[in-house]
Amino acid sequence: MTTTPVQHLKAELESTQIFRNTSAYLHNLPRDKSDTLLLLCACAMLQLPHFVHLSWWTSAICSGLLLWRAAITMRGQRLPPMWLLLPLAMLCMGGIYLDFHTLLGRDAGVAMLVLLLTFKLLEMRARRDLFVVLLLSFFLLLTTFFYSQSLSSLLWMIVTLLLILTTQLSFQYIGVQPPLKQRLRLGSMMLAMALPLTLTLFLLFPRIQGPLWGLPGDAHGGRSGLSDSMSPGNIAQLALSDDIAFRVKFLDPQPPPSKLYWRGVVLTHFDGRTWTPGLTRRVAVDSDSAAAAIAPRSAATSVRQQITMEPNGQRWLFALETPQMPPRLDGISTSMTVDHQLRAARMIGDRIRYDVVSNLAPPVADHNDRAELQQALALPPNVNPRSREFAADLRAKAPSERALVAAVLHFFRSENFSYTLEPPLLGRDSVDDFLFSSRAGFCEHYASSFVFLMRAAGIPARVVTGYQGGETNPVDKMMTVRQSDAHAWAEVWLPSQGWVRVDPTAAVAPNRVETQLSNVLPRSFFGRLLGPALGKSNWWSALSEAALIARANWEALGNSWNQWVLNYTPARQQSFMRWLGLGEFDWRSLTLLMFAIGAVATGSVTLPLLLARNRRDRLDTLYSALCTQMARRGIPRQQYEGPRTYESRLCAADSPLSPATKNGVSRFISLYETLRYGADYGDAHDKKNIPPASLMAQLKLLLSQCR
């Protein structure tokens, strides 16, 4: 059924009228309803970031309760009784216990706090309950830092805090309430006045190694990143994530894309499906000892990197192949194994930054650990028989180990193998199924099958997982390595060279090591459908370019936030104190300095406010002087009397004042009323309406006549 232009215009007019009626209705709401709705909006903004990590039923219950409370407010209904709310709250607490098997810890505690705040909104019957809700809101606002300390989270929290402060101010007014815009401005001023003290505490509060208190065991859960095992499909899942793994600042010329292999975990043990780390011998933790155990590096092939790694809940560190020594971390011991894995002594639960030096040249065969090589040959029995036969056949035809490696890569390159994020499921003999049936997989499929073939042919081999490539930000020149850059490759032992990197994925998708993953993988259905049409569109190209520029600027800003704010370590604090010329400070001196500067910062904000509060208007001062004089003569002004009523009583026939004094009082009050309530001088707070000095002098003269 088609609509005529008249019907379409009529529908637009009706929708416009509905919008106007709704706006007028909200504008004319009673004060208690508008204040309550403002509080509900603040609580909704407060809870929205937590819905990302809360269970679905917790988010649904909180949303439903907020809507219920809004409906009660709009309709003017009574709040639900306690006999209904208490069982619901107990059921929710039981659900949290079933979810987390505890009522303690970060996740369970935050979930309970979100639910308790929402239930408290339905039990807000007295003014005391209102302030309980506001205090709970301030506390819940801090828990957002448990999950994210990014710049976007900070901006959202500032807006939420402003709305909470505005709500608190709205409930404080007893008489006439100013408009919402004015209340928001006052809340912004309160936030701005807190900035000097906040900045002082941030810069000068004594920093210590590690947190002030220990977080519960679940505080670092939910991190995305590489795990310490590899099975078909787990790296492909990471390829769908755009989260940042780490950022890199090169202190030397940046290597080409084909050299950007970020070494992470070495996997040696294979059970037929999953690769896990084997037993490795650690090098001494001290960097000098580690350097002594490594062949000297060449300055021409060494690359210095400054890596800022996001928390991943694991113990390993990343660096370009091949790292030369473990980095130094504040408060965390590090080590490097003989297979060049960088490890931290504890789990990485916070953002860290470290410097590391890597040698891009292939490592020299400086050791020949028989146990290590034997472990790199082990295979589970009775799995993948076809792959074993294929490896034996290749071994019989290949004149050397290097020729055998080339033969397997040629097999991958020449046969109908494909590189995809959605490979078919593999059976018990996963390598056989991949090599001879599906022939479709991601990097872990190729690395796993290649290492299996090498071991079956008698060549020691192992899997290495990490990241490959990265994206250089044109704004700050920092390289960003994302979870989508996760990669797996292989290493084989050649007697004349030692461990040599081989990337079998490059034999199938050679562009994988030269460009981003999105340019290598095939498009989805909608990408194939819309890609050609949108690619020819000028507006789409301009929009894509603008989005890339905005993303680069935002990530550069976020990196600056990470480097200068979140990474403000004790060492950086000492450097800042030396930059100020204050030399070395211990924590006691730093505390005294913090209190001194904090007092100055607080005084610079509060003293002008106190002076402005105690400053009286000159007109009011003169009028108060007149009232004081008349009170001494036995005619005090009553609280309900205005200037004109007071003048009538002072100038009455039975007044004890002399005629000259009555004349002076009458002229004084007439001039005072003109200056105070007249159209030209009525606004005493507007500097443009200050009375001229001549009229003020005349008023003082009349006051002296009244004496």
Side-chain angles (χ1 to χ4, degrees):
M1 179 178 179
T2 60
T3 58
T4 63
V6 176
Q7 292 175 335
H8 183 70
L9 179 61
K10 183 179 180 181
E12 288 186 353
L13 292 176
E14 289 178 354
S15 61
T16 304
Q17 187 64 32
I18 292 174
F19 176 77
R20 290 178 178 176
N21 293 339
T22 305
S23 301
Y25 175 74
L26 293 176
H27 182 74
N28 296 325
L29 276 178
R31 176 179 168 181
D32 57 340
K33 290 186 177 182
S34 61
D35 290 347
T36 304
L37 290 177
L38 186 63
L39 177 61
L40 294 178
C41 290
C43 291
M45 290 187 62
L46 181 63
Q47 295 179 2
L48 190 60
H50 291 288
F51 287 172
V52 178
H53 55 82
L54 290 176
S55 59
W56 67 268
W57 67 266
T58 306
S59 303
I61 288 179
C62 291
S63 302
L65 293 178
L66 286 175
L67 292 176
W68 187 16
R69 185 63 172 90
I72 291 175
T73 303
M74 298 295 292
R75 297 175 181 176
Q77 297 174 344
R78 299 186 62 179
L79 293 176
M82 186 61 65
W83 61 264
L84 178 60
L85 292 179
L86 189 57
L88 288 176
M90 296 303 295
L91 286 175
C92 290
M93 297 302 106
I96 290 177
Y97 184 81
L98 292 178
D99 275 351
F100 302 101
H101 304 289
T102 181
L103 294 179
L104 304 176
R106 180 195 65 172
D107 294 336
V110 171
M112 283 196 300
L113 192 59
V114 171
L115 284 169
L116 289 176
L117 173 63
T118 312
F119 275 107
K120 189 63 181 177
L121 291 171
L122 291 168
E123 198 249 340
M124 197 170 58
R125 293 180 170 84
R127 190 175 180 84
R128 177 184 61 85
D129 298 326
L130 166 67
F131 287 103
V132 170
V133 170
L134 291 172
L135 292 177
L136 280 175
S137 300
F138 286 122
F139 188 79
L140 185 60
L141 189 67
L142 292 176
T143 62
T144 310
F145 283 131
F146 288 162
Y147 300 94
S148 175
Q149 298 178 11
S150 63
L151 185 59
S152 57
S153 299
L154 175 70
L155 296 177
W156 182 268
M157 291 178 63
I158 290 177
V159 175
T160 305
L161 178 60
L162 174 60
L163 196 57
I164 296 175
L165 286 175
T166 304
T167 305
Q168 185 176 7
L169 290 172
S170 301
F171 284 102
Q172 293 289 346
Y173 289 101
I174 299 177
V176 179
Q177 187 184 70
L180 178 61
K181 187 176 181 180
Q182 185 174 344
R183 284 175 279 156
L184 287 171
R185 188 184 303 115
L186 182 57
S188 302
M189 291 177 58
M190 294 175 62
L191 283 179
M193 287 188 292
L195 283 179
L197 183 60
T198 302
L199 187 61
T200 302
L201 292 175
F202 172 76
L203 293 175
L204 300 180
F205 191 87
R207 303 271 168 164
I208 62 174
Q209 299 290 354
L212 291 175
W213 56 81
L215 290 176
D218 63 349
H220 305 298
R223 305 290 188 183
S224 63
L226 287 172
S227 65
D228 56 355
S229 63
M230 187 193 76
S231 56
N234 59 355
I235 295 184
Q237 294 175 358
L238 279 181
L240 301 175
S241 173
D242 203 38
D243 294 341
I244 295 176
F246 52 90
R247 292 183 174 92
V248 186
K249 179 181 179 181
F250 288 100
L251 305 179
D252 292 313
Q254 180 177 318
S258 59
K259 299 290 185 180
L260 296 178
Y261 282 85
W262 306 96
R263 190 180 187 87
V265 189
V266 177
L267 308 176
T268 308
H269 181 262
F270 184 54
D271 62 1
R273 186 172 185 85
T274 303
W275 291 87
T276 54
L279 300 177
T280 55
R281 177 171 53 85
R282 289 190 177 277
V283 181
V285 173
D286 182 73
S287 60
D288 296 333
S289 301
I294 304 170
R297 63 183 177 90
S298 171
T301 58
S302 65
V303 177
R304 294 172 298 166
Q305 313 128 64
Q306 189 175 84
I307 297 178
T308 303
M309 195 172 77
E310 299 295 317
N312 56 15
Q314 305 293 345
R315 298 179 184 272
W316 49 79
L317 310 174
F318 296 96
L320 276 180
E321 286 192 333
T322 305
Q324 297 301 291
M325 63 181 65
R328 297 181 182 272
L329 293 178
D330 293 336
I332 306 177
S333 300
T334 60
S335 62
M336 185 172 68
T337 61
V338 292
D339 51 10
H340 297 278
Q341 295 183 79
L342 299 180
R343 298 282 182 136
R346 61 175 174 84
M347 182 177 59
I348 305 300
D350 302 301
R351 184 179 290 104
I352 59 173
R353 189 176 69 174
Y354 56 90
D355 295 337
V356 66
V357 180
S358 300
N359 188 6
L360 299 182
V364 181
D366 55 346
H367 71 281
N368 187 355
D369 192 329
R370 183 175 299 273
E372 181 185 3
L373 296 181
Q374 197 67 30
Q375 189 179 12
L377 286 170
L379 286 175
N382 303 323
V383 294
N384 304 308
R386 294 184 62 186
S387 299
R388 294 175 187 266
E389 293 177 4
F390 180 64
D393 183 59
L394 291 177
R395 180 65 180 180
K397 296 177 181 179
S400 63
E401 288 84 354
R402 183 176 293 276
L404 179 60
V405 171
V408 175
L409 294 179
H410 177 73
F411 171 72
F412 283 135
R413 193 179 300 112
S414 59
E415 297 296 330
N416 189 24
F417 284 91
S418 61
Y419 187 59
T420 177
L421 279 173
E422 300 175 352
L425 296 178
L426 303 177
R428 176 178 178 272
D429 297 324
S430 58
V431 178
D432 283 355
D433 292 345
F434 171 69
L435 291 177
F436 306 108
S437 297
S438 66
R439 295 192 172 183
F442 203 57
C443 59
E444 64 265 33
H445 297 81
Y446 291 97
S448 176
S449 59
F450 179 85
V451 172
F452 187 92
L453 291 176
M454 290 296 104
R455 291 188 177 188
I459 299 179
R462 60 196 184 191
V463 176
V464 182
T465 60
Y467 298 88
Q468 200 286 320
E471 180 184 3
T472 302
N473 192 317
V475 179
D476 57 2
K477 309 304 179 184
M478 295 280 289
M479 174 170 285
T480 301
V481 180
R482 305 180 186 277
Q483 297 297 344
S484 57
D485 297 317
H487 194 51
W489 59 94
E491 287 183 343
V492 297
W493 174 265
L494 301 179
S496 59
Q497 295 180 266
W499 289 103
V500 178
R501 180 180 69 233
V502 180
D503 191 352
T505 305
V508 181
N511 291 334
R512 170 62 181 88
V513 298
E514 297 291 343
T515 184
Q516 292 181 336
L517 182 65
S518 58
N519 298 329
V520 179
L521 292 173
R523 294 176 181 266
S524 63
F525 172 76
F526 291 102
R528 291 192 298 267
L529 183 64
L530 301 177
L534 294 178
K536 298 178 182 179
S537 175
N538 293 331
W539 68 267
W540 177 258
S541 301
L543 182 62
S544 301
E545 184 178 357
L548 290 176
I549 294 175
R551 177 184 178 183
N553 282 277
W554 177 254
E555 289 190 349
L557 187 62
N559 180 61
S560 300
W561 165 261
N562 295 338
Q563 299 292 336
W564 297 105
V565 178
L566 300 184
N567 199 41
Y568 189 64
T569 59
R572 284 208 162 193
Q573 189 178 49
Q574 290 292 340
S575 300
F576 176 70
M577 300 304 295
R578 288 192 294 268
W579 180 78
L580 292 178
L582 299 177
E584 297 291 338
F585 265 67
D586 57 9
W587 68 270
R588 297 180 181 84
S589 303
L590 200 60
T591 303
L592 293 177
L593 181 65
M594 178 190 67
F595 277 112
I597 298 181
V600 173
T602 305
S604 64
V605 174
T606 57
L607 189 60
L609 295 177
L610 293 176
L611 293 177
R613 182 179 181 181
N614 296 327
R615 189 185 302 125
R616 300 184 62 181
D617 184 74
R618 290 185 296 171
L619 284 173
D620 291 339
T621 302
L622 294 176
Y623 181 66
S624 297
L626 175 70
C627 295
T628 302
Q629 290 184 22
M630 297 301 106
R632 291 174 181 171
R633 300 190 180 193
I635 318 176
R637 183 179 69 88
Q638 304 298 325
Q639 291 185 355
Y640 58 85
E641 286 183 321
R644 180 61 59 185
T645 305
Y646 191 33
E647 179 202 357
S648 300
R649 192 159 60 89
L650 291 174
C651 299
D654 57 348
S655 173
L657 300 180
S658 64
T661 303
K662 291 181 180 180
N663 181 50
V665 167
S666 178
R667 294 174 60 192
F668 178 92
I669 291 182
S670 297
L671 182 58
Y672 171 77
E673 286 182 328
T674 302
L675 296 178
R676 169 57 68 203
Y677 306 111
D680 295 332
Y681 313 110
D683 191 357
H685 299 285
D686 191 348
K687 295 182 179 180
K688 297 181 181 179
N689 295 337
I690 296 177
S694 58
L695 295 180
M696 295 298 297
Q698 183 179 354
L699 196 65
K700 292 180 181 178
L701 179 62
L702 292 174
L703 178 64
S704 63
Q705 292 178 4
C706 295
R707 294 193 181 98

